[in-house]
Amino acid sequence: QVQLVESVGGLVQPGGSLRLSCAASGSIFSIIRMGWYRQAPGKQRELVATITNGGSTNYADSVKGRFTISRDNAKKTEYLQMNSLKPEDTAVYYCYAYCYANRAFNDYWGQGTQVTVSS
């Protein structure tokens, strides 16, 4: 069984920074792609950023220049550095991984962590 465990989010003032992490564990042969999605109240879940095992990244336009995704392949861990946070970044953030595990390719999700940007 593959598990993704996220760090705790928190309350941050506008303009502040926060770093999220997500560690994958279980019978994983390979993690093809990792990423972060978020869901604000009353809205659909949306892509924040993704990173491949080769280090290629992709960002939502709304976070470009403010958020940075990275990963440590040896630790099976990804990070999301969030700077210049805005109230509209408030959401539940979900860790995501596309893995080859248990002889199959599958999507896996973390439990979600709340990030609130407010003064």
Side-chain angles (χ1 to χ4, degrees):
Q1 186 74 356
V2 175
Q3 286 189 320
L4 300 180
V5 179
E6 299 154 354
S7 58
V8 175
L11 173 63
V12 184
Q13 290 189 342
S17 297
L18 189 66
R19 188 193 196 207
L20 301 179
S21 65
C22 172
S25 63
S27 302
I28 301 170
F29 181 81
S30 178
I31 301 177
I32 311 303
R33 185 171 60 249
M34 300 188 83
W36 294 91
Y37 286 71
R38 67 186 181 186
Q39 188 167 18
K43 294 187 177 181
Q44 290 187 329
R45 189 174 298 189
E46 63 176 4
L47 168 74
V48 176
T50 60
I51 184 167
T52 67
N53 53 6
S56 296
T57 58
N58 180 49
Y59 294 93
D61 288 342
S62 59
V63 306
K64 282 181 181 176
R66 299 188 298 121
F67 291 10
T68 302
I69 189 170
S70 60
R71 62 187 281 181
D72 184 329
N73 290 332
K75 295 182 178 179
K76 296 186 177 66
T77 298
E78 65 166 338
Y79 307 93
L80 185 67
Q81 178 67 44
M82 303 183 289
N83 298 328
S84 303
L85 282 161
K86 304 176 181 180
E88 50 264 44
D89 295 318
T90 295
V92 177
Y93 283 70
Y94 295 91
C95 170
Y96 158 83
Y98 178 60
C99 302
Y100 184 71
N102 301 312
R103 300 182 180 181
F105 290 98
N106 277 304
D107 297 326
Y108 296 92
W109 294 90
Q111 77 281 6
T113 187
Q114 177 70 46
V115 173
T116 302
V117 184
S118 175
S119 55

